[in-house]
Amino acid sequence: NAGVTQTPKFQVLKTGQSMTLQCAQDMNHNSMYWYRQDPGMGLRLIYYSASEGTTDKGEVPNGYNVSRLNKREFSLRLESAAPSQTSVYFCASSESLPGAGNTIYFGEGSWLTVV
Amino acid sequence: AQSVTQPDIHITVSEGASLELRCNYSYGATPYLFWYVQSPGQGLQLLLKYFSGDTLVQGIKGFEAEFKRSQSSFNLRKPSVHWSDAAEYFCAVGGARYNTDKLIFGTGTRLQVFP
């Protein structure tokens, strides 16, 4: 009963380092998302993948790249981490896009600190 | 533009008291509306959602919400709060008319429950 699994849960990076957040879902969902959560800002969409083979920018894509490796997996990469990217990152998935009324299911989050 | 406003950043109630969390949205067509709950250190869990039909929606954990088109509101209610309800609550709006890939979240309301 895993749902959406993301790793690592905690990470500390130095400015300029790179890292990849991994995400996998076992619900056979078509759409996957990466959000970031900052105090007082709610959740903001970084990138999403409507279906396998496609990716699109969300509200705050700068400084990030994504890869939809297959239907199950959707990774988020920080090429050169900056302190402004200190945040909690959530991977999520849904059967299809939320505009069709589909529910988005979230992972438990990855706490990233850039020093 | 689509937007969601949760006017209350922080609410404190006594255990057993009733609860209402406010959510106002801006959307040019019939929206899909969601309430999510986030416990400390956890991801977001769906409480309930509104797509169409009956404007009073029942959710999990004894929560309900009422869609009022005339007021552009989707307030969350619970008749008797339990200590375990202490969490952060997010309202979100999506829809089929505009860009269907985005679910717009409010900034959240943190609920504190006193014994």
Side-chain angles (χ1 to χ4, degrees), chain B residues 9-66:
Chain B
I9 296 173
H10 187 201
I11 284 183
T12 301
V13 299
S14 298
E15 191 170 19
S18 63
L19 173 69
E20 182 169 28
L21 302 182
R22 295 183 290 165
C23 173
N24 293 98
Y25 67 89
S26 172
Y27 198 77
T30 300
Y32 299 139
L33 295 158
F34 304 79
W35 274 101
Y36 282 86
V37 60
Q38 183 182 28
S39 298
Q42 300 296 314
L44 280 75
Q45 180 185 20
L46 180 70
L47 281 176
L48 48 79
K49 59 186 180 183
Y50 169 80
F51 290 162
S52 64
D54 194 346
T55 56
L56 185 62
V57 180
Q58 301 297 322
I60 62 172
K61 304 185 180 186
F63 285 92
E64 66 178 26
E66 187 171 11

Side-chain angles (χ1 to χ4, degrees), chain A residues 9 35 37 40-43 48 90 97-104 106-108 111, chain B residues 32 34 36 38 41-44 46 49 51 90 95-96 100-103 105-107:
Chain A
K9 188 150 182 137
Y35 286 87
Q37 183 180 30
M41 305 287 287
L43 278 85
Y48 68 99
F90 288 98
L97 294 177
N102 293 286
T103 298
I104 295 182
F106 287 83
E108 294 191 341
W111 275 253
Chain B
Y32 299 139
F34 304 79
Y36 282 86
Q38 183 182 28
Q42 300 296 314
L44 280 75
L46 180 70
K49 59 186 180 183
F51 290 162
F90 293 93
T100 61
D101 40 59
K102 292 179 182 155
L103 195 63
F105 284 86
T107 53

Side-chain angles (χ1 to χ4, degrees), chain A residues 31-38 41-50 55-62 64 66 74 76 87-94 97-99 104 106, chain B residues 2 93 99-106:
Chain A
S31 302
M32 297 186 73
Y33 315 84
W34 277 105
Y35 286 87
R36 61 177 289 173
Q37 183 180 30
D38 303 289
M41 305 287 287
L43 278 85
R44 294 180 292 170
L45 183 64
I46 304 171
Y47 271 94
Y48 68 99
S49 170
T55 61
D56 285 286
K57 296 178 180 179
E59 301 172 69
V60 288
N62 291 344
Y64 305 95
V66 291
F74 187 42
L76 177 72
S87 187
V88 184
Y89 292 85
F90 288 98
C91 180
S93 71
S94 60
L97 294 177
I104 295 182
F106 287 83
Chain B
Q2 310 158 65
V93 64
N99 214 344
T100 61
D101 40 59
K102 292 179 182 155
L103 195 63
I104 305 298
F105 284 86

